[in-house]
Amino acid sequence: MGKETSLVEKLELVIPGFHGYKKKELIREDDRLVRGKVADTLALARREMERAMQRCAMVSCAQLVAIDNLRKKLMALESRVRHAEAGYRGYFDRVKFKEDELNRLLEYDARMIELAEEILNEVKALNGQIANPQALGMAVLNLDEELVNFEEVLGKRMSFAAGE
Amino acid sequence: MVQVIEWVNPGEDEIIWRYPNEVIKWGAQLIVHEYEVAVFMRDGKIYDVLGPGRHTLTTQNLPLLYRLVGGSNSPFKATVIFVSMKQFQGRYGGETQTRELAPVKYYGVYWFKVADPVLFITEVVGGQSLYDTADVTKFIRAYFNEGMMKHLSAYSIVDLFQNLDMVSTQVKVKLMEDFRRLGLELVDVKIEGVNTTDEWRQRLFWIMQTGNAQYVMQMDTAKQVAAELGKSEGAAIGTGMVVMPQLLQQPAQPAQPAQPYAGGGVPPAGYQQPAQPGAPAQPAGRQEICPYCGKQIPPGARFCPYCGHQIHRCPNGHIVPEGAKFCPVCGVKIE
Ligand SMILES: [Zn+2]
Ligand SMILES: [Zn+2]
């Protein structure tokens, strides 16, 4: 039992129904499940973000416009994950993955889920700092960084899945 | 022949589409494209909802309708409404009044999408009996405009013209809430322009020049303000346009409207605009001219109080033409 198995197990824990791309006819379904899980986490973060904006608007905090920009970034990412673009298809039509390929895919998946959770936590932290300008500024910067990280991993997974 | 239920080639602005045949056969093929949802309704009530995919309609994927028709396998009656989950753009424009009842015209663009198709159908389509995309679009636009008018009227004219970014983001937050109740997600709102009457533009000019909204608001007309100020400071009074160097030398202090306009309406928390960290103070006495209408504007203004145009600036505060990549004055790159 190698690294691959433990990654699958880890993913199975957070994604009900996930098969680890092991069954040919379920590969696409597995991909959909992973993306669905990630997109749902980002959606939670977006809702939390909107709550933060409401509170921010109420106290007229100076970061409102910046927070709104992050919200838009987050929305774009959520939509990209949920509705994988055309060209994303090719790879998942393949019959079977080689072991190292499979491992890489699983690593991307695990990392995406991890980063989505981190984004959610950052947004929660941000929401808790609305009344504290200095900490809020830091929270905005941290979240921005997390979004950039996520975008990078997503981009890699997408080009990997497109067979590039 | 197998019945095929599909929204073929939705138009760019089409939010919903109703399948024209209300008699559905079991075994029919339902094709739901990516970014679509198919909602089954009967007598104004929503039963089953199916997402993207190619579905053969069976008793299993339409359990609620099946129960309704009493478990029979004969064709049944239902309205199938397709909802597009894509992002749409709408334009808006209207007139409202500011807190001090200054007439204001505004226009811009907004983007939205359906977030909760069931809520959307319940609130908008079913609730308003709008089965036609054009009607739905009209309803949303009217709803948006109403909200815009209502929310904008809580602000002072100085806020509107000087802090438009902030105001529009605050208004957006409020509209987002309004939209959510319809099952819609308001993605973004952009205010492209605001304008007011000549009289109010002049008044605004004086408020920004003097930083004393209360004083200006006490006068009946902007002309009177000019005359009064002219008297006390001995400034030259031209045809409608008054230049008063003493007053221009001190930076405008717009963030004081809270007191004079207090009472009535919900104040947007009378925010003190932070002392614009990025924008260095203008050299004393230097006059700035609006590149769009040629009138003199307050130093550092972000909007022309006369024509309402946004004033673009380089990081060093110089006025730059719209779309410029470099500042013509200092050569600094502009994002
Ligand atoms: Zn102008
Ligand atoms: Zn410059």
Side-chain angles (χ1 to χ4, degrees):
Chain A
M1 296 282 128
K3 193 178 167 197
E4 182 192 301
T5 324
S6 59
L7 265 178
V8 172
E9 280 167 357
K10 224 165 124 188
L11 288 165
E12 277 170 349
L13 272 178
V14 286
I15 307 170
F18 183 67
H19 300 87
Y21 307 106
K22 293 255 168 74
K23 279 191 185 152
K24 180 185 136 201
E25 63 275 19
L26 291 175
I27 283 178
R28 281 174 152 282
E29 175 68 8
D30 282 340
D31 166 55
R32 206 184 54 77
L33 284 171
V34 170
R35 286 189 290 106
K37 168 72 188 174
V38 174
D40 287 348
T41 309
L42 294 182
L44 283 179
R46 174 169 52 78
R47 270 304 275 135
E48 184 77 14
M49 199 83 183
E50 284 161 9
R51 258 174 237 130
M53 281 180 72
Q54 273 171 294
R55 300 183 56 207
C56 190
M58 262 190 282
V59 300
S60 296
C61 76
Q63 300 277 4
L64 182 61
V65 176
I67 295 176
D68 187 39
N69 285 333
L70 292 180
R71 177 188 68 99
K72 282 185 248 177
K73 237 185 202 176
L74 193 56
M75 281 183 88
L77 287 174
E78 180 191 332
S79 164
R80 258 178 86 191
V81 173
R82 200 178 300 275
H83 312 277
E85 292 149 26
Y88 197 51
R89 314 206 146 192
Y91 207 78
F92 290 103
D93 287 336
R94 282 181 41 184
V95 179
K96 212 170 180 315
F97 292 101
K98 289 191 206 112
E99 199 173 324
D100 60 327
E101 284 177 330
L102 176 60
N103 219 353
R104 234 172 104 194
L105 182 60
L106 291 170
E107 271 166 17
Y108 282 136
D109 286 358
R111 187 76 186 119
M112 277 207 311
I113 287 167
E114 199 182 349
L115 282 172
E117 294 285 349
E118 278 174 29
I119 287 171
L120 179 57
N121 288 335
E122 282 298 342
V123 178
K124 282 180 182 159
L126 183 146
N127 200 0
Q129 299 291 3
I130 295 297
N132 182 351
Q134 204 146 23
L136 184 61
M138 279 312 291
V140 166
L141 288 177
N142 288 342
L143 179 60
D144 188 45
E145 204 177 303
E146 290 288 355
L147 291 177
V148 170
N149 288 344
F150 181 88
E151 196 169 12
E152 199 185 309
V153 173
L154 175 65
K156 279 185 185 159
R157 187 199 192 245
M158 281 177 134
S159 52
F160 177 75
E164 279 161 23
Chain B
M1 221 181 85
V2 179
Q3 186 180 19
V4 178
I5 306 171
E6 180 184 9
W7 187 3
V8 183
N9 293 328
E12 221 172 88
D13 301 324
E14 298 197 332
I15 304 170
I16 60 153
W17 182 72
R18 176 158 66 146
Y19 177 62
N21 186 353
E22 299 218 325
V23 179
I24 315 284
K25 294 181 192 127
W26 295 107
Q29 290 291 307
L30 173 72
I31 299 168
V32 185
H33 300 272
E34 185 75 2
Y35 290 104
E36 281 174 22
V37 164
V39 177
F40 287 78
M41 281 180 87
R42 196 161 140 159
D43 306 323
K45 224 185 130 197
I46 292 172
Y47 287 88
D48 298 290
V49 180
L50 291 177
R54 178 184 277 270
H55 311 271
T56 302
L57 297 184
T58 65
T59 55
Q60 248 122 67
N61 53 23
L62 297 182
L64 300 176
L65 270 169
Y66 186 67
R67 207 184 307 159
L68 183 75
V69 298
S72 93
N73 277 316
S74 44
F76 59 95
K77 254 195 99 191
T79 309
V80 185
I81 294 178
F82 286 88
V83 182
S84 172
M85 305 296 283
K86 284 186 180 150
Q87 187 168 305
F88 296 96
Q89 190 192 67
R91 297 206 65 90
Y92 65 90
E95 290 181 50
T96 187
Q97 289 183 324
T98 62
R99 253 197 288 163
E100 48 300 67
L101 306 183
V104 176
K105 284 187 180 158
Y106 58 88
Y107 63 92
V109 205
Y110 65 104
W111 293 265
F112 67 96
K113 60 184 181 188
V114 176
D116 182 338
V118 171
L119 185 58
F120 175 66
I121 297 259
T122 313
E123 290 294 316
V124 179
V125 182
Q128 313 280 332
S129 291
L130 307 172
Y131 290 102
D132 184 281
T133 278
D135 290 340
V136 169
T137 310
K138 217 193 278 167
F139 172 80
I140 292 170
R141 193 192 308 129
Y143 187 85
F144 180 90
N145 274 329
E146 225 172 80
M148 196 77 186
M149 274 166 68
K150 186 181 99 196
H151 296 312
L152 275 182
S153 65
Y155 292 86
S156 77
I157 189 161
V158 175
D159 281 337
L160 264 188
F161 282 81
Q162 274 225 312
N163 309 316
L164 189 60
D165 273 1
M166 193 58 156
V167 170
S168 60
T169 312
Q170 290 187 332
V171 167
K172 175 161 60 182
V173 174
K174 291 177 185 137
L175 286 166
M176 268 159 66
E177 272 311 296
D178 299 344
F179 264 56
R180 185 164 294 120
R181 271 176 244 132
L182 299 181
L184 294 170
E185 168 90 36
L186 183 62
V187 177
D188 208 3
V189 178
K190 200 175 152 204
I191 299 182
E192 291 178 324
V194 283
N195 208 342
T196 184
T197 59
D198 282 344
E199 175 66 29
W200 275 98
R201 269 200 297 271
Q202 289 187 32
R203 225 181 252 266
L204 179 62
F205 175 79
W206 287 114
I207 293 175
M208 283 154 82
Q209 297 288 38
T210 60
N212 188 343
Q214 191 162 22
Y215 177 72
V216 174
M217 292 302 294
Q218 277 163 357
M219 307 286 166
D220 288 334
T221 63
K223 231 184 187 148
Q224 199 188 338
V225 180
E228 284 298 313
L229 286 170
K231 241 188 270 161
S232 56
E233 304 287 342
I237 300 176
T239 47
M241 179 62 204
V242 184
V243 183
M244 300 176 50
Q246 306 93 313
L247 285 168
L248 290 173
Q249 275 168 17
Q250 64 198 53
Q253 296 163 340
Q256 294 176 331
Q259 298 122 333
Y261 311 144
V266 183
Y271 54 80
Q272 298 293 111
Q273 188 69 357
Q276 300 267 332
Q282 290 295 316
R286 213 187 82 219
Q287 302 300 314
E288 289 192 329
I289 301 292
C290 168
Y292 303 98
C293 70
K295 292 197 169 125
Q296 213 161 48
I297 56 172
R302 298 177 61 206
F303 285 86
C304 171
Y306 292 95
C307 67
H309 247 288
Q310 190 178 357
I311 307 292
H312 299 267
R313 289 177 187 276
C314 84
N316 294 321
H318 306 122
I319 296 180
V320 299
E322 210 165 355
K325 298 255 189 311
F326 294 93
C327 171
V329 181
C330 66
V332 140
K333 208 173 152 206
I334 293 152
E335 279 194 54

